[in-house]
Amino acid sequence: MSTEVATDPFGIREALASLGIKAVNHGTSTGNNSQGTGEIFSSYSPADGQLIAKVTTTTPEEYEQAIQSASEAFKIWRKMPAPQRGEIVRQFGQRLRELKEPLGKLVSYEMGKSYQEGLGEVQEMIDICDFAVGLSRQLHGLTMHSERPGHRMYEQYHPLGIVGIISAFNFPVAVWSWNTALAWVCGDVCVWKPSEKTPICGVACQNIAAEIFAANGLPEGLSVLINGNYTVGEMMTGDARIPLVSATGSTRMGRVVGAKVAERFGRSLLELGGNNAIIVTPNADIDMTIIGALFGAVGTAGQRCTTTRRLIIHESIYDQVKNALVKAYGQLNIGNPLDEHNHVGPLIDKDAVASYRQALSEVVKEGGRIAVEGGVLEGEGYESGCYVKPAIAEAKKDFKIVRQETFAPILYLLKYSELDEAIDMQNAVPQGLSSAIMTTNMREMETFLSAAGSDCGIANVNIGTSGAEIGGAFGGEKETGGGRESGSDAWRIYMRRQTNTINYSDELPLAQGIKFDLG
């Protein structure tokens, strides 16, 4: 049976070729990655159901080679001055600028997010590279006064070693770069296991990095790619040679990773689930509210960790907001994410579709009312079986399904009467990633941002829950895992802190006044 693609209207073959991935019939060859000895698995696009590529699962023997390669590279990389490491990251960022369109197209095609969002994700990679370049000259410590005469104390930071990165399908390149760009300037090397649902994005990024390393005479082990399912990740989490494992994914996965890494006294940086809410007060700008809630709920087909899943609306404006949202949902175009006329692409696979259906069924069982009907789309253009309609459900705060994170475009509407009640409703879920309030009232805003307000790692005013700027630390509390990536001082977790005391006197005073008479 021939697997030749009859048409390629969106230029996928050309994009793959630009990223060093050769097109072979319906799928692709991924260079060295396809020559492994492990079990072969395939990546299919949720956009059209077509095969993108086949890659091999990393075997234990290949994993050991990868770790050895990374360990040897670390011995070289850690000695390079941080600003020189920053120059390598600058070159990587520049190459991303040159390849932004093909890489954005691959992200869109393999993951299913809109092409605009795919381009936006690559821009996040570029932005974190810029941030890391500046950071390479600011890895500062702290000088302190000693209690002993003739002594000086200070703290400094050193590279950790190998940083293990486990990323999720929904941001197949950006989250890796958040970790990698910072780890590189800090003097670390990286071993990356991308999601088995989006492995070709990982191959593309590895190709780009390898190109930069080769041009600068640096070892390939600065960035190592391993592929496969959770069993490959387990090699990393149980490996004492990896002092830090950064894992993005479900809360269930995070519990396993955190426990395994802690068992060997390693560090874990966990970015897990989100069940994000926007509180809409009577003082909200309704037009801004609808825009923020709409993109937050349906962007990336509801598959962001920061997706808006709950809209907590004051009872006096509940019907007004609901009716405006229903009208806005009626204008959404659902279809191939590479077609820029479409607002919503597919879910990642049919398992996600099943979870979506189950959640809608559960909310009805618990007594909820469907305000905007969901459903799976069929027919021409929807052959992959992964396209669903964004849905809105009216619910109550005690519904079990409302407390759960469903990675799909389902928005729950909840009603409140007092602001304290709304904040309690927002906080009454296990997750604590992103939150927002829509208000023009300063007292409401400050209450929301106070210690008695939102319990999330991210709290916004008059913008939605979705998305974040590179300059701020990204992450959340409770079952979101407590990790922080990207900006601010998130770099510190990629380094080890050392306290130094220098005695420049001609005496050695001992603690507690102890003296030794050496005669």
Side-chain angles (χ1 to χ4, degrees), residues 184-494:
W184 280 344
V185 297
C186 288
D188 301 319
V189 299
C190 299
V191 177
W192 178 26
K193 192 199 88 64
S195 169
E196 61 270 30
K197 297 180 181 182
T198 51
I200 311 308
C201 286
V203 173
C205 291
Q206 181 70 10
N207 287 347
I208 298 169
E211 176 187 333
I212 300 301
F213 300 153
N216 287 274
L218 294 168
E220 291 184 351
L222 296 180
S223 179
V224 179
L225 185 74
I226 57 177
N227 271 308
N229 60 16
Y230 71 94
T231 59
V232 175
E234 286 177 344
M235 299 181 199
M236 187 187 298
T237 57
D239 193 337
R241 294 169 294 182
I242 301 179
L244 170 64
V245 175
S246 175
T248 303
S250 69
T251 297
R252 178 186 57 79
M253 179 274 286
R255 283 197 176 95
V256 175
V257 170
K260 189 69 175 179
V261 174
E263 189 177 77
R264 58 176 176 83
F265 297 103
R267 301 186 195 179
S268 58
L269 193 169
L270 301 178
E271 294 288 356
L272 310 175
N275 191 346
N276 316 293
I278 298 176
I279 296 173
V280 186
T281 81
N283 298 296
D285 182 313
I286 300 301
D287 289 342
M288 288 176 61
T289 297
I290 299 305
I291 293 170
L294 182 65
F295 178 71
V298 308
T300 323
Q303 296 171 113
R304 291 183 176 222
C305 53
T306 54
T307 290
T308 304
R309 309 206 181 277
R310 297 173 295 144
L311 203 60
I312 304 171
I313 311 167
H314 191 269
E315 58 189 7
S316 66
I317 56 170
Y318 180 88
D319 288 337
Q320 181 185 0
V321 173
K322 180 184 73 172
N323 293 337
L325 269 176
V326 170
K327 181 179 179 181
Y329 269 54
Q331 301 173 37
L332 293 173
N333 294 326
I334 307 167
N336 193 306
L338 291 168
D339 183 340
E340 296 186 49
H341 293 96
N342 293 324
H343 304 107
V344 183
L347 295 179
I348 186 64
D349 55 25
K350 292 182 179 178
D351 288 340
V353 173
S355 295
Y356 159 85
R357 281 176 146 165
Q358 180 65 26
L360 287 176
S361 175
E362 287 297 323
V363 75
V364 172
K365 285 181 181 177
E366 292 193 70
R369 176 184 174 276
I370 303 300
V372 173
E373 292 287 341
V376 181
L377 295 170
E378 299 175 343
E380 184 177 355
Y382 305 122
E383 290 86 356
S384 68
C386 296
Y387 290 89
V388 302
K389 298 177 184 177
I392 298 176
E394 297 183 80
K396 294 183 179 180
K397 63 181 181 181
D398 57 349
F399 285 9
K400 290 182 180 179
I401 191 62
V402 173
R403 292 173 50 82
Q404 300 172 13
E405 179 189 38
T406 302
F407 238 46
I410 302 174
L411 178 65
Y412 301 113
L413 304 186
L414 304 166
K415 191 182 296 185
Y416 80 94
S417 58
E418 299 293 338
L419 182 58
D420 287 347
E421 176 192 6
I423 292 173
D424 287 344
M425 289 169 66
Q426 181 211 271
N427 294 344
V429 294
Q431 310 85 357
L433 179 53
S434 187
S435 59
I437 189 169
M438 293 293 184
T439 181
T440 56
N441 181 289
M442 185 182 71
R443 289 178 176 174
E444 291 176 338
M445 174 186 73
E446 292 294 347
T447 298
F448 177 75
L449 298 176
S450 73
S454 170
D455 66 359
C456 295
I458 298 170
N460 298 327
V461 177
N462 292 328
I463 61 173
T465 62
S466 186
E469 290 189 29
I470 287 299
F474 180 91
E477 303 301 323
K478 301 188 294 188
E479 289 190 2
T480 301
R484 292 298 187 275
E485 295 172 329
S486 192
S488 185
D489 64 348
W491 61 270
R492 293 176 187 269
I493 196 169
Y494 302 95

